[in-house]
Coordinates of all heavy atoms in Angstrom, one line a residue:
M1 N -104.1 36.4 -89.3 CA -105.5 36.9 -89.4 C -106.1 36.7 -87.9 O -105.9 35.7 -87.2 CB -106.4 36.0 -90.3 CG -107.6 36.6 -90.7 SD -108.3 35.6 -92.1 CE -109.9 36.3 -92.2
N2 N -106.8 37.7 -87.5 CA -107.4 37.8 -86.2 C -108.9 37.1 -86.2 O -109.7 37.5 -87.2 CB -107.6 39.1 -85.5 CG -106.1 39.6 -85.2 OD1 -105.2 38.9 -85.1 ND2 -106.0 41.0 -85.2
I3 N -109.2 36.2 -85.3 CA -110.4 35.6 -85.3 C -111.0 35.7 -83.8 O -110.2 35.5 -82.8 CB -110.3 34.1 -85.6 CG1 -110.4 33.9 -87.2 CG2 -111.5 33.3 -85.2 CD1 -109.0 33.4 -87.6
P4 N -112.2 36.2 -83.8 CA -112.8 36.4 -82.4 C -113.0 35.2 -81.5 O -113.2 34.2 -82.1 CB -114.1 37.0 -82.7 CG -114.5 36.7 -84.0 CD -113.2 36.6 -84.8
K5 N -112.7 35.4 -80.2 CA -112.8 34.2 -79.3 C -114.2 33.6 -79.1 O -114.3 32.5 -78.9 CB -112.2 34.5 -77.9 CG -110.7 34.2 -77.7 CD -110.2 34.5 -76.4 CE -108.8 34.4 -76.3 NZ -108.1 35.0 -75.1
S6 N -115.1 34.6 -79.2 CA -116.5 34.1 -79.0 C -117.4 34.6 -80.2 O -117.2 35.9 -80.4 CB -117.1 34.4 -77.6 OG -117.2 35.8 -77.4
V7 N -118.2 33.8 -80.8 CA -119.0 34.2 -81.9 C -120.3 33.8 -81.7 O -120.6 32.7 -81.1 CB -118.4 33.6 -83.2 CG1 -119.2 34.0 -84.4 CG2 -117.0 33.9 -83.5
S8 N -121.5 34.6 -82.1 CA -122.7 34.2 -82.0 C -123.0 33.5 -83.2 O -123.0 34.2 -84.4 CB -123.6 35.4 -81.9 OG -125.0 35.0 -81.9
M9 N -123.4 32.2 -83.3 CA -123.7 31.5 -84.5 C -124.8 30.4 -84.2 O -125.2 30.2 -83.0 CB -122.6 30.8 -85.1 CG -121.7 29.9 -84.3 SD -120.2 29.6 -84.9 CE -120.6 28.0 -85.9
Y10 N -125.4 29.9 -85.3 CA -126.6 29.1 -85.2 C -126.1 27.6 -84.6 O -125.2 27.1 -85.1 CB -127.1 28.8 -86.7 CG -128.4 27.9 -86.5 CD1 -129.6 28.4 -86.0 CD2 -128.4 26.7 -87.0 CE1 -130.7 27.6 -86.0 CE2 -129.4 25.9 -86.9 CZ -130.7 26.4 -86.5 OH -131.8 25.6 -86.4
C11 N -126.8 27.3 -83.6 CA -126.6 25.9 -82.9 C -127.8 24.9 -83.4 O -128.8 25.2 -83.1 CB -126.5 26.1 -81.5 SG -126.4 24.5 -80.7
P12 N -127.4 23.9 -84.1 CA -128.5 22.9 -84.7 C -129.1 22.2 -83.5 O -130.3 21.7 -83.6 CB -127.7 22.0 -85.5 CG -126.4 22.3 -85.4 CD -126.0 23.6 -84.7
N13 N -128.4 22.1 -82.3 CA -129.1 21.4 -81.2 C -130.1 22.2 -80.5 O -131.1 21.8 -80.2 CB -128.0 20.9 -80.3 CG -128.4 19.9 -79.3 OD1 -129.0 18.9 -79.7 ND2 -128.1 20.0 -78.0
C14 N -129.6 23.5 -80.2 CA -130.5 24.5 -79.7 C -131.6 25.0 -80.6 O -132.6 25.6 -80.0 CB -129.7 25.7 -78.9 SG -128.5 25.0 -77.7
K15 N -131.3 25.0 -81.8 CA -132.2 25.5 -82.9 C -132.3 27.1 -82.8 O -133.5 27.6 -83.1 CB -133.4 24.9 -82.9 CG -133.4 23.4 -83.4 CD -134.7 22.6 -83.4 CE -134.6 21.3 -83.7 NZ -135.8 20.5 -83.5
K16 N -131.2 27.8 -82.4 CA -131.2 29.2 -82.4 C -129.9 29.8 -82.3 O -128.9 28.9 -82.1 CB -132.1 29.7 -81.3 CG -131.5 29.3 -80.0 CD -132.4 29.8 -78.9 CE -131.8 29.5 -77.5 NZ -132.7 30.0 -76.4
H17 N -129.6 30.9 -82.5 CA -128.4 31.6 -82.5 C -127.9 31.6 -80.8 O -128.6 32.1 -80.1 CB -128.3 32.9 -83.0 CG -128.0 32.9 -84.5 ND1 -128.9 32.4 -85.4 CD2 -126.9 33.2 -85.2 CE1 -128.4 32.4 -86.6 NE2 -127.2 32.8 -86.5
T18 N -126.7 31.2 -80.6 CA -126.2 31.3 -79.2 C -124.7 31.7 -79.4 O -124.2 31.6 -80.4 CB -126.3 29.8 -78.5 OG1 -125.7 28.8 -79.4 CG2 -127.7 29.6 -78.2
D19 N -124.2 32.0 -78.2 CA -122.7 32.3 -78.2 C -121.8 31.1 -78.2 O -122.2 30.0 -77.5 CB -122.3 33.1 -76.8 CG -122.9 34.5 -77.0 OD1 -122.9 35.0 -78.1 OD2 -123.0 35.2 -76.0
H20 N -120.8 31.1 -79.0 CA -120.0 29.9 -79.3 C -118.5 30.3 -78.8 O -118.0 31.4 -79.3 CB -120.1 29.3 -80.7 CG -121.3 28.6 -80.9 ND1 -122.4 29.2 -81.1 CD2 -121.3 27.2 -81.3 CE1 -123.3 28.1 -81.4 NE2 -122.7 27.0 -81.4
K21 N -117.8 29.4 -78.1 CA -116.4 29.6 -77.9 C -115.6 29.0 -79.0 O -115.8 27.9 -79.4 CB -116.1 28.9 -76.5 CG -115.5 29.8 -75.5 CD -114.9 29.1 -74.3 CE -115.5 29.7 -73.1 NZ -115.1 28.9 -71.9
M22 N -114.7 29.8 -79.5 CA -113.9 29.3 -80.6 C -112.5 28.7 -80.1 O -111.9 29.4 -79.3 CB -113.7 30.4 -81.7 CG -114.9 30.9 -82.2 SD -115.3 30.0 -83.8 CE -114.3 30.9 -85.0
R23 N -111.9 27.8 -80.8 CA -110.6 27.4 -80.5 C -110.1 26.6 -81.8 O -110.9 26.2 -82.6 CB -110.5 26.4 -79.3 CG -111.2 25.1 -79.5 CD -110.8 24.2 -78.2 NE -111.8 23.1 -78.1 CZ -111.4 22.0 -78.7 NH1 -110.3 21.9 -79.4 NH2 -112.2 20.9 -78.6
L24 N -108.7 26.6 -81.9 CA -108.2 26.0 -83.0 C -108.1 24.5 -82.9 O -108.0 23.9 -81.8 CB -106.8 26.5 -83.2 CG -106.5 27.7 -84.2 CD1 -105.1 28.2 -83.9 CD2 -106.6 27.3 -85.6
F25 N -108.4 23.7 -83.9 CA -108.4 22.2 -84.0 C -107.1 21.7 -84.1 O -106.3 22.2 -85.0 CB -109.4 21.6 -85.1 CG -109.3 20.2 -85.2 CD1 -110.0 19.4 -84.4 CD2 -108.5 19.7 -86.2 CE1 -110.0 18.1 -84.5 CE2 -108.4 18.3 -86.3 CZ -109.2 17.5 -85.4
K26 N -106.5 20.8 -83.4 CA -105.3 20.1 -83.3 C -105.5 18.7 -83.7 O -106.4 18.0 -83.0 CB -104.6 20.3 -82.1 CG -104.0 21.7 -81.9 CD -103.3 21.9 -80.6 CE -102.9 23.3 -80.2 NZ -102.7 23.5 -78.8
T27 N -104.7 18.2 -84.7 CA -104.8 16.8 -85.0 C -104.1 16.0 -83.8 O -103.1 16.2 -83.3 CB -104.0 16.4 -86.2 OG1 -102.8 17.1 -86.2 CG2 -104.8 16.9 -87.4
G28 N -104.8 14.9 -83.4 CA -104.3 14.0 -82.5 C -103.1 13.0 -83.0 O -102.9 13.0 -84.2
Q29 N -102.7 12.3 -82.2 CA -101.6 11.3 -82.5 C -102.3 10.1 -83.4 O -103.3 9.7 -83.0 CB -100.9 10.8 -81.3 CG -99.4 10.5 -81.6 CD -98.7 10.2 -80.3 OE1 -99.2 9.7 -79.3 NE2 -97.4 10.4 -80.3
A30 N -101.5 9.8 -84.4 CA -102.0 8.7 -85.2 C -101.8 7.3 -84.5 O -100.9 7.1 -83.8 CB -101.1 8.7 -86.5
R31 N -103.0 6.5 -84.7 CA -103.0 5.2 -84.0 C -102.1 4.3 -84.7 O -102.0 4.2 -85.8 CB -104.3 4.6 -84.0 CG -105.2 5.5 -83.1 CD -106.6 5.1 -83.1 NE -107.4 5.3 -84.5 CZ -108.2 4.4 -85.0 NH1 -108.6 3.3 -84.5 NH2 -108.6 4.8 -86.3
A32 N -101.3 3.5 -83.8 CA -100.3 2.5 -84.3 C -101.0 1.4 -85.1 O -100.4 0.7 -85.9 CB -99.4 2.1 -83.3
M33 N -102.3 1.0 -84.4 CA -102.8 -0.3 -85.0 C -104.0 0.0 -85.8 O -104.8 -0.8 -86.2 CB -103.3 -1.1 -83.8 CG -102.2 -1.7 -83.1 SD -101.0 -2.8 -84.1 CE -102.1 -4.2 -84.6
S34 N -104.1 1.3 -86.4 CA -105.3 1.6 -87.3 C -105.1 0.8 -88.6 O -104.0 0.4 -89.1 CB -105.3 3.1 -87.5 OG -104.3 3.5 -88.4
K35 N -106.2 0.7 -89.4 CA -106.2 0.1 -90.7 C -105.2 0.6 -91.6 O -104.5 -0.1 -92.4 CB -107.6 -0.1 -91.2 CG -107.7 -0.8 -92.6 CD -108.6 -1.9 -92.3 CE -108.5 -2.9 -93.6 NZ -109.4 -4.0 -93.5
G36 N -105.2 1.9 -91.7 CA -104.4 2.6 -92.7 C -102.9 2.5 -92.3 O -102.1 2.2 -93.3
T37 N -102.4 2.6 -91.2 CA -101.0 2.4 -90.8 C -100.5 1.0 -91.0 O -99.5 0.7 -91.5 CB -100.8 2.8 -89.3 OG1 -101.8 2.4 -88.5 CG2 -100.5 4.3 -89.2
R38 N -101.5 0.1 -90.8 CA -101.1 -1.4 -90.9 C -101.0 -1.7 -92.4 O -100.1 -2.5 -92.9 CB -102.2 -2.3 -90.4 CG -102.1 -2.6 -88.8 CD -103.1 -3.5 -88.4 NE -104.4 -2.9 -88.3 CZ -105.5 -3.5 -88.2 NH1 -105.6 -4.9 -88.6 NH2 -106.7 -2.9 -88.4
R39 N -101.9 -1.1 -93.2 CA -101.8 -1.3 -94.7 C -100.4 -0.7 -95.2 O -99.8 -1.4 -96.1 CB -102.9 -0.6 -95.4 CG -103.2 -1.0 -96.8 CD -104.3 -0.1 -97.5 NE -105.5 -0.3 -96.7 CZ -106.4 0.6 -96.5 NH1 -106.1 1.9 -96.8 NH2 -107.5 0.4 -96.0
M40 N -100.0 0.6 -94.8 CA -98.8 1.2 -95.2 C -97.6 0.2 -94.8 O -96.7 0.0 -95.5 CB -98.7 2.5 -94.6 CG -99.6 3.5 -95.2 SD -99.2 3.7 -97.0 CE -97.7 4.6 -97.0
Q41 N -97.6 -0.2 -93.6 CA -96.5 -1.1 -93.1 C -96.5 -2.3 -94.1 O -95.3 -2.8 -94.4 CB -96.8 -1.6 -91.6 CG -96.3 -0.4 -90.7 CD -96.6 -0.9 -89.3 OE1 -97.4 -1.9 -88.9 NE2 -96.1 -0.2 -88.3
R42 N -97.6 -3.0 -94.4 CA -97.5 -4.2 -95.3 C -96.9 -3.8 -96.7 O -96.2 -4.7 -97.2 CB -99.0 -4.7 -95.3 CG -99.0 -6.3 -95.6 CD -100.3 -6.9 -95.6 NE -101.4 -6.2 -94.6 CZ -102.4 -5.6 -94.8 NH1 -102.8 -5.4 -96.1 NH2 -103.2 -5.3 -93.9
K43 N -97.3 -2.7 -97.1 CA -96.9 -2.3 -98.5 C -95.3 -2.1 -98.5 O -94.7 -2.5 -99.4 CB -97.4 -1.0 -98.8 CG -98.7 -1.0 -99.7 CD -99.1 0.4 -100.1 CE -100.5 0.3 -101.0 NZ -100.9 1.6 -101.2
H44 N -94.8 -1.5 -97.4 CA -93.3 -1.2 -97.3 C -92.6 -2.5 -97.0 O -91.4 -2.6 -97.5 CB -93.0 -0.2 -96.2 CG -93.4 1.1 -96.5 ND1 -92.9 1.8 -97.7 CD2 -94.3 1.9 -96.0 CE1 -93.5 3.0 -97.6 NE2 -94.3 3.1 -96.8
K45 N -93.3 -3.5 -96.5 CA -92.4 -4.8 -96.1 C -92.5 -5.8 -97.3 O -91.5 -6.5 -97.5 CB -93.1 -5.4 -95.0 CG -92.6 -4.8 -93.6 CD -93.1 -5.5 -92.3 CE -92.7 -4.8 -91.1 NZ -93.4 -5.4 -90.0
S46 N -93.5 -5.8 -98.2 CA -93.7 -6.8 -99.1 C -92.8 -6.3 -100.4 O -92.6 -5.2 -100.7 CB -95.0 -7.1 -99.5 OG -95.6 -5.8 -100.2
G47 N -92.4 -7.3 -101.2 CA -91.6 -7.1 -102.4 C -90.3 -6.4 -102.3 O -89.7 -6.6 -101.3
Y48 N -90.0 -5.6 -103.3 CA -88.7 -4.8 -103.1 C -88.9 -3.7 -102.4 O -87.9 -2.8 -102.4 CB -88.2 -4.5 -104.6 CG -87.7 -5.8 -105.3 CD1 -88.5 -6.4 -106.2 CD2 -86.5 -6.3 -105.1 CE1 -88.1 -7.5 -106.9 CE2 -86.0 -7.4 -105.6 CZ -86.8 -8.1 -106.6 OH -86.4 -9.1 -107.1
G49 N -90.0 -3.4 -101.9 CA -90.2 -2.0 -101.0 C -90.3 -0.8 -101.8 O -90.9 -0.9 -102.9
G50 N -89.7 0.2 -101.3 CA -89.6 1.3 -102.1 C -90.8 2.3 -101.5 O -91.7 1.8 -100.7
K51 N -90.7 3.5 -101.7 CA -91.6 4.4 -101.2 C -93.1 4.3 -102.0 O -93.1 4.2 -103.0 CB -91.2 5.9 -101.3 CG -90.3 6.2 -100.1 CD -89.8 7.6 -100.2 CE -88.8 7.8 -99.0 NZ -88.1 9.0 -99.3
T52 N -94.2 4.3 -101.1 CA -95.4 4.4 -101.7 C -96.1 5.7 -101.7 O -97.0 6.0 -102.4 CB -96.4 3.4 -101.1 OG1 -96.4 3.6 -99.7 CG2 -96.0 1.9 -101.4
K53 N -95.6 6.5 -100.9 CA -96.1 8.0 -100.7 C -94.9 8.9 -101.0 O -94.0 8.9 -100.1 CB -96.9 8.3 -99.5 CG -98.3 7.9 -99.5 CD -99.0 8.5 -98.3 CE -100.5 8.2 -98.4 NZ -101.2 8.6 -97.3
F54 N -95.0 9.8 -101.9 CA -93.8 10.7 -102.1 C -94.2 12.0 -101.6 O -95.4 12.5 -101.6 CB -93.5 10.8 -103.6 CG -92.8 9.5 -104.1 CD1 -93.6 8.5 -104.7 CD2 -91.5 9.3 -104.0 CE1 -93.0 7.4 -105.1 CE2 -90.9 8.1 -104.5 CZ -91.7 7.2 -105.0
P55 N -93.1 12.7 -101.1 CA -93.3 14.0 -100.5 C -93.6 15.0 -101.7 O -93.1 14.8 -102.8 CB -92.1 14.5 -99.8 CG -91.2 13.6 -100.3 CD -91.7 12.3 -100.8
A56 N -94.4 16.1 -101.4 CA -94.7 17.0 -102.4 C -93.6 17.9 -102.9 O -92.8 18.2 -102.1 CB -95.9 18.0 -102.0
Y57 N -93.4 18.1 -104.2 CA -92.3 18.9 -104.6 C -92.4 20.4 -104.2 O -91.4 20.9 -103.5 CB -92.2 18.8 -106.1 CG -91.6 17.5 -106.6 CD1 -92.3 16.5 -107.3 CD2 -90.2 17.5 -106.5 CE1 -91.7 15.4 -107.8 CE2 -89.6 16.3 -107.0 CZ -90.3 15.4 -107.6 OH -89.8 14.1 -107.9
V58 N -93.4 21.0 -104.3 CA -93.7 22.3 -103.9 C -94.8 22.3 -102.8 O -96.0 21.9 -103.0 CB -94.3 23.1 -105.1 CG1 -94.5 24.6 -104.6 CG2 -93.3 23.2 -106.2
K59 N -94.4 22.5 -101.6 CA -95.3 22.6 -100.5 C -96.0 23.9 -100.4 O -95.5 25.0 -100.7 CB -94.5 22.2 -99.3 CG -94.3 20.7 -99.0 CD -94.0 20.4 -97.6 CE -93.7 19.0 -97.5 NZ -93.0 18.7 -96.2
K60 N -97.3 23.8 -100.0 CA -98.1 25.0 -99.8 C -97.4 25.7 -98.7 O -97.2 25.2 -97.7 CB -99.5 24.7 -99.5 CG -100.2 23.9 -100.7 CD -100.8 24.8 -101.7 CE -101.7 24.1 -102.6 NZ -101.7 24.5 -104.0
Q61 N -97.6 27.0 -98.8 CA -97.0 27.9 -97.7 C -97.9 28.0 -96.7 O -97.3 28.1 -95.4 CB -96.7 29.3 -98.3 CG -95.6 29.4 -99.5 CD -94.2 29.0 -99.0 OE1 -93.8 29.7 -98.1 NE2 -93.6 28.1 -99.6
N62 N -99.1 28.1 -96.8 CA -100.1 28.3 -95.8 C -101.1 27.2 -95.6 O -101.2 26.4 -96.7 CB -100.7 29.6 -95.8 CG -99.7 30.8 -95.9 OD1 -98.7 30.7 -95.5 ND2 -100.1 31.7 -96.9
K63 N -101.6 27.2 -94.5 CA -102.8 26.1 -94.3 C -104.1 26.8 -94.1 O -104.4 28.0 -93.6 CB -102.4 25.4 -93.1 CG -101.4 24.3 -93.4 CD -101.0 23.5 -92.3 CE -100.1 22.5 -92.7 NZ -99.4 21.7 -91.4
R64 N -105.1 25.9 -94.4 CA -106.5 26.4 -94.0 C -106.8 25.8 -92.7 O -106.9 24.7 -92.5 CB -107.5 25.8 -95.1 CG -107.4 26.5 -96.4 CD -108.6 25.9 -97.3 NE -108.3 26.4 -98.6 CZ -108.1 25.6 -99.7 NH1 -108.2 24.3 -99.5 NH2 -108.0 26.1 -100.9
P65 N -107.0 26.8 -91.7 CA -107.0 26.3 -90.3 C -108.5 25.8 -90.1 O -109.5 26.3 -90.7 CB -106.7 27.5 -89.4 CG -107.1 28.6 -90.3 CD -106.8 28.2 -91.8
T66 N -108.7 24.8 -89.3 CA -110.0 24.2 -88.9 C -110.1 24.7 -87.4 O -109.3 24.6 -86.5 CB -109.8 22.7 -88.8 OG1 -109.3 22.2 -90.0 CG2 -111.2 22.0 -88.5
F67 N -111.4 25.1 -87.2 CA -111.8 25.7 -85.9 C -112.9 24.8 -85.3 O -113.7 24.1 -86.0 CB -112.4 27.0 -86.0 CG -111.3 28.1 -86.3 CD1 -111.1 28.5 -87.6 CD2 -110.6 28.7 -85.4 CE1 -110.0 29.4 -87.9 CE2 -109.6 29.5 -85.5 CZ -109.3 29.9 -86.9
V68 N -112.9 24.8 -83.8 CA -114.0 24.1 -83.3 C -114.7 25.1 -82.5 O -114.2 25.9 -81.7 CB -113.5 23.1 -82.3 CG1 -114.4 22.3 -81.5 CG2 -112.5 22.1 -83.0
A69 N -116.0 25.2 -82.7 CA -116.9 26.0 -81.9 C -117.7 25.3 -81.0 O -118.4 24.4 -81.3 CB -117.7 26.9 -82.9
E70 N -117.6 25.7 -79.7 CA -118.5 25.1 -78.7 C -119.5 25.8 -78.2 O -119.4 27.1 -77.9 CB -117.5 24.7 -77.5 CG -118.2 23.8 -76.4 CD -117.3 23.5 -75.3 OE1 -116.1 23.4 -75.5 OE2 -117.8 23.4 -74.2
C71 N -120.8 25.4 -78.2 CA -121.9 26.2 -77.7 C -121.9 26.2 -76.3 O -121.6 25.3 -75.6 CB -123.2 25.4 -78.1 SG -124.7 26.1 -77.6
E72 N -122.2 27.5 -75.7 CA -122.0 27.7 -74.4 C -123.2 27.4 -73.6 O -123.1 27.2 -72.4 CB -121.7 29.2 -74.2 CG -120.3 29.5 -74.6 CD -119.8 30.9 -74.1 OE1 -120.4 31.5 -73.3 OE2 -118.8 31.3 -74.6
T73 N -124.4 27.0 -74.2 CA -125.5 26.6 -73.4 C -125.7 25.0 -73.5 O -126.0 24.5 -72.4 CB -126.9 27.2 -74.0 OG1 -126.8 27.0 -75.5 CG2 -126.9 28.7 -73.7
C74 N -125.4 24.4 -74.6 CA -125.5 22.9 -74.6 C -124.2 22.2 -74.7 O -124.1 20.9 -74.6 CB -126.5 22.3 -75.7 SG -125.8 22.8 -77.4
K75 N -123.1 22.9 -74.9 CA -121.8 22.4 -74.9 C -121.5 21.5 -76.1 O -120.6 20.6 -76.1 CB -121.3 21.7 -73.6 CG -121.5 22.5 -72.4 CD -120.5 23.4 -72.2 CE -120.7 24.4 -70.9 NZ -119.9 25.6 -71.0
K76 N -122.3 21.7 -77.1 CA -122.1 20.8 -78.3 C -121.0 21.5 -79.1 O -120.9 22.7 -79.2 CB -123.4 20.7 -79.2 CG -124.3 19.6 -78.7 CD -124.2 18.5 -79.4 CE -125.2 17.4 -79.0 NZ -125.2 16.2 -79.7
K77 N -120.2 20.6 -80.0 CA -119.0 21.2 -80.7 C -119.3 21.1 -82.1 O -119.8 20.1 -82.6 CB -117.8 20.5 -80.2 CG -117.2 20.9 -79.0 CD -116.1 20.1 -78.5 CE -115.9 20.1 -77.0 NZ -116.2 18.8 -76.4
I78 N -118.9 22.2 -82.9 CA -119.1 22.1 -84.3 C -117.7 22.5 -84.9 O -117.1 23.5 -84.5 CB -120.1 23.2 -84.8 CG1 -121.4 23.1 -84.0 CG2 -120.4 23.0 -86.4 CD1 -122.4 24.4 -84.1
S79 N -117.2 21.6 -85.7 CA -116.0 22.0 -86.3 C -116.2 22.4 -87.8 O -117.1 22.0 -88.5 CB -115.1 20.8 -86.4 OG -115.5 19.8 -87.3
F80 N -115.5 23.4 -88.2 CA -115.5 23.9 -89.6 C -114.3 24.6 -90.2 O -113.4 24.9 -89.2 CB -116.6 25.0 -89.7 CG -116.4 26.1 -88.7 CD1 -115.8 27.3 -89.2 CD2 -116.9 26.1 -87.4 CE1 -115.7 28.5 -88.3 CE2 -116.7 27.2 -86.6 CZ -116.0 28.3 -87.0
V81 N -114.1 24.7 -91.3 CA -112.9 25.1 -92.0 C -113.3 26.6 -92.6 O -114.1 26.7 -93.3 CB -112.4 24.2 -93.1 CG1 -111.1 24.7 -93.7 CG2 -112.1 22.9 -92.5
I82 N -112.4 27.5 -92.3 CA -112.4 28.8 -93.0 C -111.8 28.6 -94.2 O -110.5 28.4 -94.3 CB -111.8 29.9 -92.1 CG1 -112.8 30.1 -90.8 CG2 -111.7 31.2 -93.0 CD1 -112.3 31.1 -89.9
N83 N -112.5 28.7 -95.4 CA -111.8 28.3 -96.7 C -110.9 29.6 -97.2 O -111.1 30.1 -98.3 CB -113.0 28.1 -97.7 CG -112.7 26.8 -98.3 OD1 -111.6 26.2 -98.3 ND2 -113.8 26.3 -98.7
K84 N -109.8 29.8 -96.4 CA -108.9 30.9 -96.9 C -107.7 30.4 -96.2 O -107.5 30.1 -95.1 CB -109.4 32.1 -96.3 CG -108.7 33.4 -96.8 CD -109.6 34.3 -97.3 CE -108.9 35.6 -97.7 NZ -109.2 36.1 -99.1
R85 N -106.5 30.5 -97.0 CA -105.2 30.2 -96.6 C -104.7 31.3 -95.8 O -104.8 32.4 -96.1 CB -104.2 29.9 -97.7 CG -104.7 28.6 -98.4 CD -103.6 28.1 -99.4 NE -104.2 26.8 -99.8 CZ -103.8 25.6 -99.4 NH1 -103.0 25.6 -98.3 NH2 -104.2 24.5 -99.9
M86 N -104.1 31.1 -94.6 CA -103.5 32.1 -93.9 C -102.3 31.5 -93.0 O -102.2 30.3 -92.7 CB -104.5 32.7 -92.8 CG -105.3 31.7 -92.0 SD -106.6 32.3 -91.0 CE -108.0 32.2 -92.1
K87 N -101.3 32.5 -92.9 CA -100.1 32.1 -92.4 C -100.2 31.8 -90.9 O -99.7 31.0 -90.2 CB -98.9 33.2 -92.5 CG -97.6 32.7 -92.6 CD -96.7 33.7 -93.2 CE -96.2 33.3 -94.5 NZ -95.4 34.3 -95.2
K88 N -101.1 32.7 -90.2 CA -101.2 32.7 -88.7 C -102.7 32.9 -88.4 O -103.2 33.9 -89.0 CB -100.4 33.7 -88.2 CG -99.8 33.3 -86.8 CD -98.9 34.3 -86.3 CE -98.2 34.1 -85.0 NZ -97.4 35.2 -84.7
A89 N -103.3 32.2 -87.6 CA -104.5 32.3 -87.0 C -104.5 32.6 -85.7 O -104.2 31.8 -84.8 CB -105.6 31.2 -87.5
E90 N -104.9 33.9 -85.3 CA -104.9 34.2 -83.8 C -106.3 34.4 -83.3 O -107.1 35.1 -84.0 CB -104.0 35.6 -83.7 CG -102.6 35.2 -83.5 CD -101.9 36.6 -83.2 OE1 -101.5 37.2 -84.1 OE2 -101.5 36.7 -81.9
L91 N -106.5 33.9 -82.2 CA -107.8 34.1 -81.4 C -107.7 35.4 -80.6 O -106.8 35.4 -79.8 CB -108.2 32.9 -80.6 CG -108.6 31.7 -81.5 CD1 -108.7 30.5 -80.5 CD2 -109.9 31.8 -82.3
V92 N -108.5 36.4 -80.9 CA -108.4 37.7 -80.1 C -109.6 37.9 -79.2 O -110.8 37.5 -79.7 CB -108.5 38.9 -81.1 CG1 -108.2 40.1 -80.4 CG2 -107.2 38.6 -82.1
Ligands
ZN1 ZN1 -126.4 24.7 -78.3

């Protein structure tokens, strides 16, 4: 699916429609010392162990991409999800 590189949309900071630069959101690296990873490590180490999270039997083929729109006047970023599964999201 083709998505335009710049879109005119409402900016809550400027309180009017301005041009926004679009880009795809990428997840960062998971922190090793975060509460969630520490909890998972504790779960795996205690008792007889075993998996606490199982992989899905049927994986979804496509993903709903998250986009980040940056206002070109105030440089504020808004992230949003396009609620449609797509194989490929291209910025044109
Ligand atoms: Zn703005």
Side-chain angles (χ1 to χ4, degrees):
M1 199 173 176
N2 291 336
I3 282 111
K5 264 182 192 171
S6 68
V7 178
S8 170
M9 55 194 266
Y10 183 76
C11 173
N13 198 47
C14 303
K15 291 178 181 171
K16 62 179 179 183
H17 273 73
T18 50
D19 283 337
H20 283 71
K21 233 187 230 171
M22 298 270 275
R23 65 177 167 86
L24 269 165
F25 174 79
K26 280 177 194 163
T27 45
Q29 209 170 30
R31 290 174 294 146
M33 288 308 287
S34 72
K35 184 113 188 184
T37 37
R38 277 183 288 152
R39 192 186 299 137
M40 284 302 283
Q41 277 177 351
R42 209 180 312 122
K43 264 185 181 176
H44 285 300
K45 275 180 186 172
S46 66
Y48 287 101
K51 276 181 184 166
T52 51
K53 266 191 181 175
F54 289 94
Y57 279 107
V58 180
K59 277 192 177 168
K60 299 271 190 214
Q61 295 290 305
N62 304 328
K63 279 180 181 171
R64 289 187 187 122
T66 309
F67 288 94
V68 179
E70 191 183 320
C71 178
E72 288 191 7
T73 49
C74 67
K75 305 286 176 195
K76 281 259 180 184
K77 289 172 199 119
I78 312 160
S79 70
F80 59 94
V81 179
I82 292 177
N83 236 338
K84 189 128 178 124
R85 293 190 176 270
M86 50 187 93
K87 210 161 242 177
K88 212 177 184 184
E90 270 183 281
L91 292 167
V92 180

